Amino acid sequence: MALEGYVFPGLKSYLANRKQKVCLSPDIFDQGTSSNWEVGGSGVPQGSILGPLLVLIYLNNLPYGFHRGSKPVIYADDASVLLIANDDSELKDKINHALNYMTEWFSANGLILNMENTNIIKFTSSNHHTEIFQIPHINRLLTGLNNTKFLGVELDTNINWKNHIHKILPKLSSASYLIRRMYHPLI
């Protein structure tokens, strides 16, 4: 039995005619700070158990349009592209191709590439000076960053751990203090 075009009844009721509203006040009964209930046009319910799986299924064929030397990384609703190039000119060409492909793919699939959250970082060996570069795309100038957060890890252009360690050290310090207190309580 072919399932093409078939929507499972439970899934259809899960996705269709879902209502949502926005509350701008912590008091949900205050009508002056809430929008009206509206039926959502598309998407999956935020914070739902099935949401991440459905997004991954939806984005499943995104990686097939990239050229050699391009490696898409998709995690939940976050899509990144790792590119390998021999020089800046080749890198800029590959970035432009990846951005154009993703913009077209997102548009054809009813999505929008969020240019405000789109970043570029150029990784090099530590003995090379990296030059900040800019790439125009859809009325926006993307400027290369010196560091960024990728799947929870702070990275810089030299792929060094200093920024990440600096970010997690206070959390680790607090956690180790609490563990010490559990084993050596104050009397």
Side-chain angles (χ1 to χ4, degrees), residues 3 16 34 63 67 119 142 146 165 169 174:
L3 294 176
S34 298
H67 293 300
N119 298 312
L142 295 171
N146 287 322
I165 291 169
L169 198 55
S174 296

Side-chain angles (χ1 to χ4, degrees), residues 59-70:
L59 297 177
N60 190 42
N61 71 342
L62 172 64
Y64 296 110
F66 289 98
H67 293 300
R68 278 191 173 157
S70 302

Side-chain angles (χ1 to χ4, degrees), residues 9 11 22 57 66 73 92 111 118 120 136 143 156 183:
L11 186 59
V22 177
I57 292 169
F66 289 98
V73 178
K92 287 180 181 180
L111 301 170
T118 300
I120 300 171
T143 302
D156 68 7
Y183 288 106

Side-chain angles (χ1 to χ4, degrees), residues 67-134:
H67 293 300
R68 278 191 173 157
S70 302
K71 173 77 174 152
V73 178
I74 300 172
Y75 182 79
D77 64 348
D78 188 20
S80 300
V81 182
L82 304 175
L83 304 168
I84 299 171
N86 294 319
D87 56 38
D88 283 353
S89 176
E90 181 184 359
L91 180 61
K92 287 180 181 180
D93 287 344
K94 286 186 173 188
I95 291 172
N96 279 321
H97 177 269
L99 285 170
N100 289 333
Y101 170 71
M102 291 180 76
T103 301
E104 289 174 19
W105 189 93
F106 277 49
S107 178
N109 288 280
L111 301 170
I112 297 171
L113 180 61
N114 185 345
M115 295 304 294
E116 296 300 317
N117 290 339
T118 300
N119 298 312
I120 300 171
I121 186 166
K122 177 182 165 186
F123 300 114
T124 62
S125 61
S126 59
N127 60 353
H128 285 93
H129 173 67
T130 181
E131 186 177 303
I132 302 297
F133 59 94
Q134 297 179 326

